[in-house]
Amino acid sequence: MHSDDGRAEGSCGAESNGHGSDPRGPLTVLARSPSLTPLLALGALRSPFKRPAATADFPRTRLVLPGLRVDLARLAAYERVCGFPTGEDALPVTYPHVLGFPLAMSLMSGRDFPLPLLGLVHTSIEITRYRELAATGEYELTVYVDGLAPHRRGTEAAVVTELRVGEGVVWESVSTYLARHRTNEPERERDRERHEPLPGVDEWRLAGDIGRRYAAASGDRNPIHLYPLTARLFGFPRTIAHGMWTAARCLAAHGTPQAALVRAEFRAPVLLPGTVTYAANGERFELCGGDRVHVTGGVHPLT
């Protein structure tokens, strides 16, 4: 099952069948955020019938949720578990991803999405925040699949999330999700920008219930994050932390300017309970456990 997911809050009412036009693809306007748990189940049931390939067709539909307002109680729970300050009238830089994920799951669990949801891995996220976002504001959310690309271990999908106020985009992200399968590409070490190890800033002792606490705040109840038994069913020795929790926790420690470009790459799962080291220098940060790097990233002010 997908290794990192969440839930959004939205306006009340039933899902609309209304469609609009957009030169980049058809629009489907929703009256409320989809329920995440049924989508996870549906995507899992459809997974065995998927045939992933970088040349496969993918859904062009853009899902739009207007009139979005944040549930402040859930936001406060999210801030507490991720280490962000609570009570401020500003959304954490990662929170719109949580709001948009049910729409992304609606697309990725559909019949026309070629990658199987079971085993799909969130490999990276790039976030651009153009200004600070009020927690009490009203937004329009748009999510769409931007394309597929070959990867040395399979096929990667790019999913775009946009948050608007009026006609202007105030926050956007691109997430990549990897479906592993055999390819003709030779197996080799992934090309990555090499850096000297960053200096350690803090050591974090992570409790075994962080996955359940993050699930309660974000709506992500993927079984690999909840209990050791359910994690073992999917091949993990014990519970693993959500990838987006690790990124959010690092960004809470690092800090983010009001207008910034944020990148995070998820390299290895964080087993729970466990101890990790948060390291940082200038714009760069890492989360490491021993000699293993779990997350690398950077925060770059927009000029």
Side-chain angles (χ1 to χ4, degrees):
M1 192 168 290
H2 181 271
S3 70
D4 181 51
D5 40 56
R7 175 162 182 163
E9 299 87 24
S11 57
C12 297
E15 182 171 328
S16 169
N17 292 322
H19 293 264
S21 61
D22 187 292
R24 299 166 296 179
L27 298 178
T28 296
V29 179
L30 307 179
R32 65 181 178 187
S33 181
S35 179
L36 185 56
T37 301
L39 293 174
L40 287 169
L42 184 61
L45 289 172
R46 288 175 171 165
S47 290
F49 305 100
K50 299 297 181 76
R51 298 293 180 265
T55 56
D57 197 12
F58 60 90
R60 264 63 174 188
T61 301
R62 293 171 175 253
L63 298 182
V64 180
L65 178 63
L68 174 69
R69 287 191 175 275
V70 173
D71 182 324
L72 297 181
R74 290 185 62 187
L75 172 61
Y78 176 89
E79 291 168 336
R80 285 191 294 270
V81 72
C82 296
F84 291 106
T86 59
E88 297 185 356
D89 188 26
L91 292 178
V93 66
T94 48
Y95 198 67
H97 171 85
V98 175
L99 299 173
F101 194 78
L103 280 69
M105 283 298 301
S106 184
L107 294 172
M108 292 192 288
S109 63
R111 276 192 171 86
D112 54 352
F113 186 72
L115 308 186
L117 199 61
L118 285 176
L120 201 64
V121 179
H122 193 182
T123 52
S124 72
I125 188 168
E126 179 176 291
I127 295 170
T128 306
R129 182 172 67 182
Y130 296 99
R131 63 173 174 82
E132 195 170 75
L133 308 177
T136 53
E138 182 174 309
Y139 301 97
E140 180 178 276
L141 190 65
T142 302
V143 178
Y144 61 94
V145 179
D146 197 38
L148 305 178
H151 185 279
R152 80 194 192 285
R153 291 184 178 174
T155 298
E156 210 165 47
V159 178
V160 174
T161 302
E162 298 172 341
L163 206 63
R164 284 182 170 81
V165 174
E167 295 297 319
V169 175
V170 294
W171 184 101
E172 59 187 339
S173 72
V174 180
S175 281
T176 56
Y177 299 93
L178 173 66
R180 293 188 179 96
H181 59 84
R182 289 187 177 182
T183 71
N184 295 324
E185 293 291 323
E187 182 65 23
R188 61 184 183 271
E189 185 181 358
R190 183 174 182 179
D191 293 331
R192 287 173 173 152
E193 189 177 357
R194 301 298 202 277
H195 295 287
E196 291 297 318
L198 300 181
V201 175
D202 200 4
E203 186 175 86
W204 299 337
R205 295 172 61 89
L206 308 182
D209 68 345
I210 281 179
R212 295 190 292 278
R213 291 171 54 207
Y214 185 84
S218 68
D220 173 2
R221 292 179 173 84
N222 189 324
I224 62 176
H225 304 303
L226 302 181
Y227 301 99
L229 176 60
T230 55
R232 285 196 291 271
L233 293 175
F234 293 91
F236 296 97
R238 58 185 192 269
T239 313
I240 67 170
H242 300 71
M244 283 303 297
W245 177 84
T246 62
R249 183 68 185 87
C250 288
L251 290 167
H254 188 281
T256 308
Q258 290 187 12
L261 172 66
V262 173
R263 295 188 177 98
E265 180 181 346
F266 308 112
R267 295 193 178 185
V270 175
L271 297 174
L272 301 173
T275 302
V276 292
T277 299
Y278 167 69
N281 185 23
E283 297 177 341
R284 295 171 50 221
F285 64 84
E286 291 179 346
L287 194 65
C288 307
D291 294 330
R292 197 173 200 191
V293 178
H294 298 290
V295 182
T296 63
V299 176
H300 311 280
L302 296 181
T303 56

